[in-house]
Amino acid sequence: MKNIEMVICGLGGVGREFIHLLTERQTEIETKYKLRLRLTAAVDIGGAAINTTEIGLDCDALLSHIKGGLSIETFGKFGRPGLSGVDVIAESGAKVMIETTPTNLVDGGVAKGHVFTALENGMEVVSANKGPFVLFYDEVHNLAAKNNCGLHISAATAAALPTLDVGRICLAGTRLISVEGILNGTTNYILSEMCIKGTSYDEALNKAQEMGIAETNPSYDVEGKDTANKIVLICNRLFGTSKTLNDINIKGISKISLNDINEAKKAGKVIKLIGIAKKNGEQINLSVGPKFLNEDHPLSKVCGSEKAITYDTDTMGKITVMGGKSSQVGAAAALLKDLINAFV
Amino acid sequence: MKNIEMVICGLGGVGREFIHLLTERQTEIETKYKLRLRLTAAVDIGGAAINTTEIGLDCDALLSHIKGGLSIETFGKFGRPGLSGVDVIAESGAKVMIETTPTNLVDGGVAKGHVFTALENGMEVVSANKGPFVLFYDEVHNLAAKNNCGLHISAATAAALPTLDVGRICLAGTRLISVEGILNGTTNYILSEMCIKGTSYDEALNKAQEMGIAETNPSYDVEGKDTANKIVLICNRLFGTSKTLNDINIKGISKISLNDINEAKKAGKVIKLIGIAKKNGEQINLSVGPKFLNEDHPLSKVCGSEKAITYDTDTMGKITVMGGKSSQVGAAAALLKDLINAFV
């Protein structure tokens, strides 16, 4: 049995679901994977709760506390008002830092400090947050390599849809030619509605917003930025590159009309928003934009808010993975998966 | 750098492609995975070739030799006429046994001895051969566990289509509810032809035979036996069961008529040959047979000789993997993948 002490930063929906999975699955994780996962610190905006004894924090009690609207720093005798994530991580002596604060794509936000401090202290990093990886990939990657730490970012790269695992494990020993993905559920939902039901872009967007699939300000999704962030990370992890958002030509779907959709249909094609990383000699080319796919393309049949990714390899041919729950539980499950695989 | 000495048993198409990959990718495997893979013995019907020195067997020279129609036991000074696989494995001191002899589902054939001897000698087993695993799963599994050896049978469970990796790695920490697969390309080709082109079963089978997709005696495929073997192995590996072919109700597709296909179509459904392992309380139920799938089922859209598998989990929802080259190269690539992942 390995003892794994963890610090979690961020106690929003994904963080809470992750803590719930920890407590719900403790026995089966110990039995199946021989891992004793112990949460020794939890951090949010106002401070932290810490218990570095063998018992760790009581996850059930902690969840009741924060779900009751109380702040983490008032969690009984373990509460530490004002203590920052960086301080907690540096002092924790934990083996893993779980990062679930909201993604900040301007300067990385607090997550930047969390990730760098964890790596400086030799910890494994498991993150649902894209910010520090998209913005500072090279620095993060080099620091992790120098200190022999693993970076585990499944939850930041399509979460319950396995992308990096498949590329690294299932395709080991192949030569990867390209990765193409429908990596954003909102845009795929809108394009599917337009294609299948003949609704306009605006109608489809409104419906997506009503259903909670699209944000009130949908630009991050519909302008292709979310897809771009994911394909940059997938490219860097699978092709060993150091790409940034500056290396990618990004087009969204907000200018796609019903006419475009119908023209595509007439030509036997379907329009999908695709993120692509493709080998071209020694270069890897990146792009995000609406593509006209033939009906025999494996991504052409992926409809609704479903996501999918197609790998093209020399020896195994094309392999496509689709599905995976798009929810906070799905993201939390991706964190747990990475955590288990980091130590098994 | 880890030095990995290997014995290969079986020098048919898949074995040869595997040796070709070893020599072609030596540098990239050393660079990327820090593994120095060295073939120290190769065995076929008439004997073996052995070189346990640091150099190992020259893979290029060995391939030229056997592709020139010469037997392995006449491979220069390394040839050992009459030496059996079991003798070679026991004496080799190698870390891995690669099993690529033809599958024998009556008594396991020579592969049974190869697998047991390798495990008794503490070796990792990487196999494209289903026989010993389908027939003697419990004994093989227990011996491997006792001697702390890994069993790596991706190449025996749909090869380039990743099945076991996805179930074990990508879904770690989830609770698996069911696995459903189109695991046989021949039957999916026949059903797809009947559905899409309206040809009869016999016409579709003839075409598959002309194209080399179906064997002259197609019963192993069309009666569902191949699918049954694969789903039994997948079930045992992912659900931790000890199922045998006696635990599975097997129906093939040879009695499916064009009328059945058309009736299904009218009801908005499509007929596919599906292998299923499904949790039912504490039991796992297994079946193989033609199923009427709704059009929104992810396997309903898998056409031609393509294979696919759908996992249903509690926290990640449904995940489907499809594709993968159905060829000797694809099977060899699956062996290489398992080999790399066993040591990385």
Side-chain angles (χ1 to χ4, degrees):
Chain A
M1 188 76 69
K2 283 187 204 164
N3 284 301
I4 312 293
E5 304 84 23
M6 303 174 293
V7 175
I8 187 166
C9 298
L11 296 168
V14 174
R16 290 172 194 203
E17 291 292 353
F18 175 74
I19 295 172
H20 174 70
L21 289 179
L22 284 185
T23 166
E24 182 188 75
R25 292 171 193 222
Q26 188 183 353
T27 310
E28 64 206 72
I29 291 170
E30 290 185 5
T31 309
K32 190 164 178 185
Y33 303 106
K34 313 291 174 214
L35 297 177
R36 186 160 291 145
L37 304 175
R38 184 155 46 97
L39 192 66
T40 54
V43 190
D44 211 345
I45 295 168
I50 305 182
N51 182 1
T52 55
T53 69
E54 261 191 27
I55 308 161
L57 295 167
D58 178 333
C59 289
D60 285 326
L62 189 146
L63 279 180
S64 299
H65 181 82
I66 55 179
K67 283 183 177 172
L70 299 170
S71 301
I72 186 71
E73 67 273 18
T74 64
F75 184 52
K77 63 178 178 179
F78 305 113
R80 302 279 292 274
L83 206 64
S84 75
V86 165
D87 292 336
V88 173
I89 294 164
E91 287 172 22
S92 68
K95 287 203 179 79
V96 188
M97 192 277 290
I98 314 281
E99 172 43 67
T100 70
T101 65
T103 291
N104 171 327
L105 289 161
V106 178
D107 61 7
V110 292
K112 182 185 178 186
H114 298 163
V115 169
F116 278 92
T117 307
L119 295 175
E120 280 155 8
N121 286 275
M123 294 160 74
E124 298 287 302
V125 168
V126 179
S127 182
N129 190 318
K130 295 177 187 65
F133 305 94
V134 170
L135 296 169
F136 313 106
Y137 185 78
D138 234 19
E139 292 157 80
V140 171
H141 178 258
N142 291 340
L143 184 57
K146 185 182 145 212
N147 292 348
N148 206 18
C149 304
L151 297 177
H152 312 279
I153 54 172
S154 290
T157 49
L161 172 75
T163 56
L164 301 180
D165 301 330
V166 173
R168 297 176 75 187
I169 308 289
C170 304
L171 308 182
T174 69
R175 290 171 184 164
L176 190 57
I177 299 162
S178 68
V179 179
E180 298 179 298
I182 294 177
L183 299 170
N184 179 272
T186 308
T187 45
N188 202 42
Y189 177 84
I190 293 171
L191 292 173
S192 299
E193 284 288 298
M194 292 172 75
C195 181
I196 296 164
K197 302 201 180 142
T199 53
S200 71
Y201 172 81
D202 288 332
E203 279 177 275
L205 172 58
N206 283 341
K207 192 168 168 200
Q209 286 170 325
E210 276 166 24
M211 291 175 69
I213 296 172
E215 307 281 336
T216 315
N217 175 354
S219 74
Y220 177 65
D221 290 321
V222 299
E223 299 305 345
K225 291 174 208 165
D226 178 59
T227 301
N229 288 323
K230 288 172 182 162
I231 196 71
V232 163
L233 289 178
I234 290 168
C235 178
N236 287 344
R237 298 302 279 169
L238 298 186
F239 284 105
T241 53
S242 307
K243 300 284 188 185
T244 71
L245 290 175
N246 295 327
D247 300 310
I248 184 166
N249 182 19
I250 309 171
K251 265 193 200 165
I253 64 159
S254 60
K255 295 198 175 67
I256 299 289
S257 68
L258 200 49
N259 194 40
D260 298 327
I261 300 271
N262 290 332
E263 287 297 316
K265 260 192 197 174
K266 273 185 211 162
K269 290 175 194 282
V270 59
I271 301 180
K272 295 287 182 190
L273 183 69
I274 309 281
I276 303 177
K278 197 179 170 79
K279 212 165 189 310
N280 181 6
E282 289 308 298
Q283 300 292 309
I284 310 292
N285 295 337
L286 278 173
S287 68
V288 168
K291 303 280 168 199
F292 291 70
L293 304 183
N294 287 324
E295 279 175 2
D296 63 354
H297 191 294
L299 296 180
S300 71
K301 296 179 187 75
V302 178
C303 288
S305 61
E306 195 109 300
K307 299 192 287 288
I309 186 163
T310 298
Y311 304 84
D312 193 11
T313 70
D314 63 339
T315 47
M316 291 191 182
K318 285 195 178 187
I319 290 170
T320 299
V321 192
M322 51 191 274
K325 212 180 259 183
S326 290
S327 65
Q328 292 177 335
V329 174
L335 290 170
L336 180 60
K337 165 189 74 170
D338 273 1
L339 177 61
I340 290 169
N341 290 329
F343 291 99
V344 166
Chain B
M1 189 74 72
K2 282 187 205 163
N3 285 301
I4 313 293
E5 304 83 23
M6 303 174 293
V7 174
I8 187 167
C9 298
L11 296 168
V14 174
R16 291 173 193 203
E17 290 293 352
F18 176 75
I19 295 172
H20 175 71
L21 289 179
L22 284 184
T23 167
E24 181 188 76
R25 293 174 191 220
Q26 186 182 357
T27 310
E28 65 207 71
I29 291 169
E30 291 185 5
T31 309
K32 191 166 179 185
Y33 302 105
K34 312 293 175 212
L35 297 177
R36 187 162 291 143
L37 304 176
R38 184 155 47 97
L39 192 66
T40 54
V43 189
D44 211 344
I45 295 167
I50 304 182
N51 182 0
T52 55
T53 69
E54 261 190 31
I55 307 160
L57 294 167
D58 179 332
C59 289
D60 284 327
L62 190 148
L63 279 180
S64 299
H65 181 82
I66 55 179
K67 284 183 177 172
L70 299 170
S71 301
I72 186 71
E73 67 272 18
T74 63
F75 184 52
K77 64 177 177 179
F78 305 112
R80 302 277 293 274
L83 206 63
S84 76
V86 165
D87 291 336
V88 173
I89 293 164
E91 287 172 23
S92 69
K95 287 203 180 75
V96 188
M97 191 276 290
I98 314 281
E99 174 39 69
T100 70
T101 65
T103 290
N104 171 326
L105 289 162
V106 178
D107 61 8
V110 291
K112 183 184 178 186
H114 298 163
V115 169
F116 278 92
T117 307
L119 294 175
E120 281 156 8
N121 284 275
M123 293 161 75
E124 299 286 302
V125 169
V126 179
S127 182
N129 191 317
K130 294 179 189 62
F133 304 94
V134 170
L135 296 170
F136 313 106
Y137 186 77
D138 235 19
E139 292 156 80
V140 171
H141 178 257
N142 291 340
L143 184 57
K146 184 181 146 211
N147 292 348
N148 206 18
C149 305
L151 297 177
H152 311 280
I153 54 172
S154 290
T157 50
L161 172 74
T163 55
L164 301 179
D165 301 330
V166 172
R168 298 177 74 187
I169 308 289
C170 304
L171 308 182
T174 68
R175 290 170 185 165
L176 191 56
I177 299 162
S178 68
V179 179
E180 299 178 297
I182 294 177
L183 299 170
N184 178 272
T186 306
T187 45
N188 202 40
Y189 176 83
I190 293 170
L191 292 173
S192 298
E193 284 288 299
M194 291 172 75
C195 182
I196 296 164
K197 301 201 180 142
T199 53
S200 71
Y201 172 81
D202 288 332
E203 278 177 276
L205 172 59
N206 283 340
K207 193 169 166 198
Q209 286 170 324
E210 277 166 23
M211 290 173 71
I213 295 172
E215 307 281 336
T216 315
N217 175 355
S219 74
Y220 178 65
D221 291 321
V222 300
E223 299 305 345
K225 292 175 206 164
D226 178 59
T227 301
N229 287 323
K230 288 173 182 162
I231 196 71
V232 164
L233 290 178
I234 291 168
C235 178
N236 286 344
R237 298 303 276 169
L238 299 186
F239 284 106
T241 53
S242 306
K243 300 284 187 185
T244 71
L245 289 175
N246 295 328
D247 300 310
I248 184 166
N249 183 17
I250 308 171
K251 265 193 200 166
I253 64 161
S254 60
K255 295 197 176 69
I256 299 289
S257 68
L258 200 49
N259 193 40
D260 297 326
I261 300 271
N262 290 333
E263 287 299 315
K265 260 193 197 174
K266 274 184 209 161
K269 291 176 193 282
V270 58
I271 300 179
K272 295 287 182 188
L273 183 68
I274 308 284
I276 303 178
K278 195 178 172 78
K279 212 164 187 314
N280 181 8
E282 290 307 298
Q283 301 292 309
I284 310 292
N285 295 338
L286 277 174
S287 68
V288 168
K291 302 281 168 198
F292 292 70
L293 304 183
N294 286 325
E295 279 175 1
D296 63 353
H297 192 293
L299 297 180
S300 72
K301 296 179 185 76
V302 178
C303 289
S305 61
E306 195 108 300
K307 297 193 287 288
I309 186 163
T310 298
Y311 305 85
D312 193 10
T313 70
D314 64 339
T315 48
M316 291 191 182
K318 285 196 178 187
I319 290 170
T320 299
V321 192
M322 51 192 273
K325 212 180 260 183
S326 289
S327 65
Q328 293 178 333
V329 174
L335 290 170
L336 180 60
K337 166 190 74 167
D338 274 0
L339 177 62
I340 291 169
N341 291 329
F343 291 100
V344 166

